[in-house]
């Protein structure tokens, strides 16, 4: 998909010179069950994601996408292989060290938001700010997210798109180097999905946040630096895109 830009659309160049080796995965394998019930979900995955890249991961249901994301996030343990994030192999970390990795380096955005229902939008973001060494300014972040006038509302008082913006803000307030997104637009309508993708594009540009996005929306590949396809637990294709289409111009 290198150079893949639809005819007649505006495009933007990929930012020059991201540092290599930010996320390096080698020989990553994961299975579940024993004996005849054993299922090999990931089988020898190897991939490099550059610092500051938006990497999108496609694949049919059951191909191992969510398991891969959970392993990157330190939420599950690999059976074999290594996951090097910013020079640290998280597969070798203790449970306590993994907690520190998730606090310091990682942000996670879930499809169904996972907001705390009894906390306001601002308070949901503050939860993560309290565990960060140098958090972003919450007032500034709320304004950038378009949530300033909703900051005192509870999740059930705002739209799905506004809840997803809050989930992104909660992940971003820590200034994570790596943002993992599991179907971030899967529960949203077309218009709101476009708004969320434009927000994620701005986040990548403003903060240089490396992103790995699991999605079924094929249009997102056009705004991504790096496109992976997963099939039967293996990387079926691994390509980079040298001409990015702005999120506002995506259609599906």
């Amino acid at each position: 998909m290198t150079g893949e830009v639809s005819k007649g659309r505006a495009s933007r160049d990929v930012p020059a010179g991201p540092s290599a080796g930010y996320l390096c995965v080698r020989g990553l394998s994961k299975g579940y069950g024993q004996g005849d019930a054993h299922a090999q979900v990931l089988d020898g995955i190897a991939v490099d994601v550059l610092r500051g890249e938006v990497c999108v991961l496609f694949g049919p249901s059951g191909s191992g996408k969510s398991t891969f994301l959970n392993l990157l996030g330190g939420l599950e343990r690999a059976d074999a292989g290594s996951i090097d994030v910013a020079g640290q192999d998280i597969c070798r970390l203790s449970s306590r060290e993994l907690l520190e990795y998730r606090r310091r380096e990682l942000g996670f955005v879930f499809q169904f938001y996972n907001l705390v229902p009894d906390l306001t939008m601002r308070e949901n973001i503050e939860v993560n700010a309290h565990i960060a060494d140098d958090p972003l300014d919450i007032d500034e972040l709320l304004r950038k997210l378009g949530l300033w006038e909703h900051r005192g509302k509870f999740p059930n008082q705002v739209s799905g798109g506004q809840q997803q913006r809050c989930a992104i803000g909660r992940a971003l307030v820590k200034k994570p180097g790596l943002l993992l997104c599991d179907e971030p637009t899967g529960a949203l309508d077309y218009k709101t999905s476009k708004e969320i993708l434009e927000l994620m594009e701005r986040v990548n540009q403003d903060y240089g946040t490396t992103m790995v996005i699991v999605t079924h929306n094929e249009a997102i590949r056009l705004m991504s630096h790096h496109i992976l396809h997963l099939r039967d637990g293996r990387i079926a294709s691994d390509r980079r895109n040298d001409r990015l289409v702005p999120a506002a111009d995506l259609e599906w």
Side-chain angles (χ1 to χ4, degrees):
M1 295 184 190
T2 301
E4 188 172 10
V5 178
S6 298
K7 185 177 180 181
R9 290 182 182 169
S11 65
R12 55 186 174 86
D13 292 323
V14 175
S19 300
Y22 174 72
L23 171 61
C24 300
V25 177
R26 294 289 181 271
L28 190 66
S29 297
K30 177 68 177 177
Y32 299 98
Q34 302 291 328
D36 293 341
H38 179 78
Q40 191 67 34
V41 179
L42 295 177
D43 186 11
I45 298 291
V47 66
D48 292 320
V49 178
L50 306 182
R51 187 180 295 276
E53 278 193 331
V54 175
C55 177
V56 64
L57 178 62
F58 298 103
S61 297
S63 61
K65 301 187 303 298
S66 292
T67 297
F68 182 58
L69 215 60
N70 287 340
L71 292 174
L72 295 184
L75 302 179
E76 297 186 51
R77 292 281 191 177
D79 295 335
S82 63
I83 303 170
D84 191 294
V85 181
Q88 178 176 238
D89 182 1
I90 69 169
C91 292
R92 296 178 177 272
L93 300 183
S94 67
S95 296
R96 189 183 193 89
E97 289 168 332
L98 277 174
L99 285 174
E100 176 63 18
Y101 158 71
R102 288 194 290 268
R103 183 187 70 81
R104 174 180 48 80
E105 193 71 29
L106 189 70
F108 214 124
V109 178
F110 301 91
Q111 179 178 357
F112 296 106
Y113 325 131
N114 286 4
L115 300 178
V116 181
D118 296 331
L119 298 181
T120 65
M121 304 292 272
R122 183 189 182 94
E123 290 168 342
N124 265 282
I125 294 174
E126 283 178 332
V127 166
N128 269 7
H130 290 321
I131 64 173
D133 294 331
D134 182 27
L136 294 173
D137 181 273
I138 295 178
D139 287 350
E140 180 182 350
L141 184 57
L142 284 164
R143 289 187 171 93
K144 281 192 173 185
L145 293 167
L147 292 176
W148 179 251
E149 60 192 41
H150 304 291
R151 63 192 183 279
K153 296 179 181 178
F154 295 99
N156 65 359
Q157 296 176 314
V158 300
S159 69
Q162 288 161 343
Q163 290 183 59
Q164 188 62 298
R165 287 173 181 268
C166 184
I168 292 171
R170 179 183 58 188
L172 284 179
V173 73
K174 300 187 300 179
K175 298 183 184 175
L178 178 61
L179 186 65
L180 305 178
C181 305
D182 193 0
E183 295 285 1
T185 63
L188 304 176
D189 60 34
Y190 177 79
K191 179 177 181 296
T192 307
S193 295
K194 287 282 290 287
E195 292 173 352
I196 292 298
L197 292 176
E198 290 178 47
L199 173 61
M200 294 178 71
E201 181 181 65
R202 289 198 303 275
V203 165
N204 174 252
Q205 294 171 349
D206 291 349
Y207 302 115
T209 308
T210 305
M211 300 183 182
V212 178
I213 303 171
V214 164
T215 184
H216 284 96
N217 186 344
E218 288 280 346
I220 297 177
R221 75 190 189 278
L222 297 176
M223 63 171 280
S224 303
H225 307 92
H226 195 162
I227 304 103
L228 299 173
H229 279 82
L230 199 61
R231 184 180 300 120
D232 296 327
R234 298 183 178 183
I235 299 293
S237 66
D238 181 342
R239 305 179 184 180
R240 282 190 164 85
N241 180 19
D242 61 3
R243 300 283 288 181
L244 303 183
V245 176
D249 292 343
L250 298 181
E251 296 179 1
W252 62 87

